[in-house]
Amino acid sequence: MPNIKANNINIEFDTFGSESKPPLLMVMGLGAQMIAWDVEFCELLADQGHFVIRYDNRDVGLSTHFNEHAAPSMEALVAELLAGNQPDVPYTVNDMAADGMGLLAELGIDKAHICGASMGGMIVQAMAINHPERVLSMTSIMSTTGNPELPPATPEAQAALTSPPATSREEAGERAFRNSKVIGSSGFPVDEERVRSPRH
């Protein structure tokens, strides 16, 4: 997978389909690598006539990590936000939105369809707000606007999203499987093998 300098960071990305087709930028959620957008799914989107681009957000996978900053406590951040306060953080969703727009610019793409899941849904909302002239359409999946008046996540979902990161491949597979049962759709069975070992 290639790596490119954009918005003053290195961004790892991957593409599917023909560059002559309308571009579709895929943005994953909190702590998830781009490979959470399954290869077969990306290929299906490409087969439908899109030039699909997926990438690792900053501090994830093979993109730039901000190791000089200690990882913030998710519980503390959520508490600050729910209290109406602005947490002291090294970067925001707006910075992450600028990363995606910077990646498109480096690839020579002026406008794109954008799709994000979970926190990625918040990132694409910020892209649409901050760069409307560059967005052909926006899809925000299982996400939120951040409005504190909206119904909050369930305690189980909050615990899953703020659980400690994995330290091994096996632990990552177990965490992904466990969390998918909490935040995934109840209308579809969880494919344990696929969740534990996604096709990259």
Side-chain angles (χ1 to χ4, degrees):
M1 297 177 197
N3 194 288
I4 199 168
K5 184 94 169 182
N7 198 32
N8 298 314
I9 65 169
N10 292 316
I11 298 178
E12 187 77 7
F13 71 99
D14 200 7
T15 64
F16 302 82
S18 170
E19 294 182 30
S20 65
K21 301 297 184 181
L24 170 58
L25 184 69
M26 308 292 287
V27 188
M28 193 32 76
L30 179 67
Q33 289 181 257
M34 63 178 162
I35 58 173
W37 295 114
D38 188 82
V39 163
E40 291 177 27
F41 179 59
C42 292
E43 290 173 343
L44 285 171
L45 293 173
D47 289 344
Q48 292 298 311
H50 294 285
F51 176 51
V52 179
I53 306 152
R54 63 179 185 172
Y55 68 100
D56 283 339
N57 285 315
R58 56 173 63 197
D59 265 332
V60 175
L62 299 176
S63 290
T64 293
H65 285 248
F66 289 74
N67 295 323
E68 65 273 21
H69 300 283
S73 161
M74 291 304 298
E75 291 177 353
L77 287 177
V78 170
E80 283 287 304
L81 291 169
L82 291 176
N85 300 325
Q86 179 63 46
D88 181 20
V89 292
Y91 56 84
T92 68
V93 166
N94 286 328
D95 296 312
M96 299 178 83
D99 294 343
M101 290 289 103
L103 172 60
L104 290 176
E106 290 299 323
L107 295 176
I109 297 171
D110 293 327
K111 297 181 180 183
H113 299 282
I114 56 175
C115 175
S118 193
M119 186 183 73
M122 300 176 76
I123 293 170
V124 297
Q125 290 175 56
M127 289 178 181
I129 291 168
N130 299 336
H131 309 277
E133 73 287 352
R134 300 189 60 198
V135 175
L136 295 172
S137 71
M138 187 270 292
T139 303
S140 180
I141 303 169
M142 61 181 189
S143 192
T144 181
T145 63
N147 185 336
E149 295 182 6
L150 290 173
T154 65
E156 295 81 11
Q158 192 67 45
L161 292 170
T162 58
S163 61
T167 57
S168 69
R169 183 181 180 88
E170 293 73 24
E171 190 179 324
E174 174 60 30
R175 183 180 189 270
F177 175 61
R178 184 177 63 247
N179 287 356
S180 68
K181 293 192 293 185
V182 176
I183 65 174
S185 172
S186 59
F188 299 91
V190 176
D191 185 334
E192 181 173 355
E193 182 179 354
R194 191 181 191 107
V195 170
R196 289 183 183 275
S197 300
R199 182 177 164 220
H200 299 177

